Amino acid sequence: MGTNDDLPVRYPVKAEDATRLYEKRVRFEGVPVEGSLVSGEGTLLVHSDGREGWAEIHTDEHLGPVTFGHHLVALSEAPFARIQETPESLFSRCGG
């Protein structure tokens, strides 16, 4: 999913949030990827220059028609803003 030519969409991300959330386990539901909504679990990576940045989830779970391999799920601003901390992990529920 995605290619090396894809540039991440940047949006406001505080450095403190990037540090606090970086490499945490995250469950996600209904995140839009290439025209479909995907759900699963993975590791959240957050990048920030102190003002703006981007977030992505790395997962090896089954997502849509691709049943194997490593997937990178880029989070747009809306799913990133919906990340909640739970006792077990982080959680993001998007549209639907």
Side-chain angles (χ1 to χ4, degrees), residues 67-80:
T67 58
F68 60 91
H70 186 79
H71 305 285
L72 185 132
V73 178
L75 289 182
S76 63
E77 187 173 1
F80 179 74

Side-chain angles (χ1 to χ4, degrees), residues 25 28 40-43 57-63 69-73:
R25 293 297 295 168
F28 55 95
E41 188 173 329
T43 301
I57 298 171
H58 291 252
T59 183
D60 292 322
E61 288 197 4
H62 167 84
L63 296 176
H70 186 79
H71 305 285
L72 185 132
V73 178

Side-chain angles (χ1 to χ4, degrees), residues 24-83:
K24 298 275 178 91
R25 293 297 295 168
V26 63
R27 290 181 306 118
F28 55 95
E29 289 183 3
V31 174
V33 174
E34 297 179 1
S36 63
L37 300 177
V38 297
S39 300
E41 188 173 329
T43 301
L44 180 66
L45 298 182
V46 182
H47 308 276
S48 175
D49 65 6
R51 293 181 321 247
E52 61 179 16
W54 70 94
E56 57 199 26
I57 298 171
H58 291 252
T59 183
D60 292 322
E61 288 197 4
H62 167 84
L63 296 176
V66 181
T67 58
F68 60 91
H70 186 79
H71 305 285
L72 185 132
V73 178
L75 289 182
S76 63
E77 187 173 1
F80 179 74
R82 290 187 179 107
I83 291 176

